[in-house]
Amino acid sequence: MKPQLLPRKSPRQARSKALVTAILDATAQVLVERGYAGSSTNLIASRAGVSIGSVYQYFPNKDSLIAALRERHATDLYDTLDAVLTRRNPQSLEEKLSAIVHGWMLAHQLEPDLHRVVEQEFPFFERAHQDQIPIYRTIVERVRQLLEEHREQLLPDNLDLATWMVLQTIESLIHAATTTTPLPVHQPAAIEQQIVEMLTRYLQVVNPR
């Protein structure tokens, strides 16, 4: 039987939003310190300084809390990507890929310990569930639109598949660099450059007709 991953309800007022933020922050802290098996809703409530009833008002169980953290990460990722793309205002496809990879790297450096715990220890929320997160679908659509804008420069005809390849390459390599086999602090720029070169060669960018 699959666990209930959706929250009971969404906060609407500033006070309730602050409460949910405190609960999720506490969830992140407890997960990093104790791992999935050592965490519980009682510990999370205690760390957040709220009653267990306040937790259950929004989240039915521990798994729904972790799912909410995954969604918050996706939102942070999108916001970071959007900020980098806006600041850099890239024009060429390679420049856009570079901006996306850089934004992805920045987002994954925010809470690497939490990402490691969630990815490695949360037994139910597999990568397949990413498509159920609206903000993640927005990221997919944005990358596909980017490829569409440069279609005449690309070798792949199937842009849906090309989008999947681009996103999986970025996510897998940056996840490995920031959480699985962390690189020295002076290496992020080098790995970003290598990812962009890899993607550019896969897409086989040519001069536009």
Side-chain angles (χ1 to χ4, degrees), residues 85 89-100 141-159 162-163 166 199-200 202-209:
L85 287 167
N89 190 27
Q91 300 301 310
S92 70
L93 176 58
E94 186 171 357
E95 289 172 344
K96 291 176 183 177
L97 289 172
S98 179
I100 289 173
E141 292 165 2
R142 184 157 189 177
V143 172
R144 194 194 186 287
Q145 179 60 36
L146 179 154
L147 297 182
E148 182 68 48
E149 292 169 358
H150 297 270
R151 177 183 281 273
E152 292 188 355
Q153 298 173 252
L154 307 183
L155 180 63
D157 292 325
N158 187 336
L159 292 192
T163 300
V166 167
L199 293 175
T200 302
Y202 158 66
L203 294 169
Q204 296 201 12
V205 180
V206 298
N207 293 327
R209 294 190 284 272

Side-chain angles (χ1 to χ4, degrees), residues 159-174:
L159 292 192
D160 290 333
L161 177 57
T163 300
W164 184 88
M165 291 290 292
V166 167
L167 288 172
Q168 290 299 315
T169 298
I170 295 174
E171 172 65 22
S172 297
L173 291 175
I174 289 183

Side-chain angles (χ1 to χ4, degrees), residues 98-168:
S98 179
I100 289 173
V101 170
H102 181 62
W104 216 288
M105 180 70 81
L106 291 178
H108 277 69
Q109 290 176 326
L110 293 177
E111 295 179 292
D113 292 335
L114 174 62
H115 295 165
R116 175 183 53 76
V117 171
V118 171
E119 291 285 347
Q120 296 179 0
E121 296 195 32
F122 189 32
F124 307 112
F125 203 105
E126 301 173 355
R127 289 182 184 273
H129 289 91
Q130 284 181 325
D131 291 341
Q132 299 177 19
I133 301 177
I135 194 65
Y136 187 80
R137 292 199 299 269
T138 301
I139 294 172
V140 173
E141 292 165 2
R142 184 157 189 177
V143 172
R144 194 194 186 287
Q145 179 60 36
L146 179 154
L147 297 182
E148 182 68 48
E149 292 169 358
H150 297 270
R151 177 183 281 273
E152 292 188 355
Q153 298 173 252
L154 307 183
L155 180 63
D157 292 325
N158 187 336
L159 292 192
D160 290 333
L161 177 57
T163 300
W164 184 88
M165 291 290 292
V166 167
L167 288 172
Q168 290 299 315

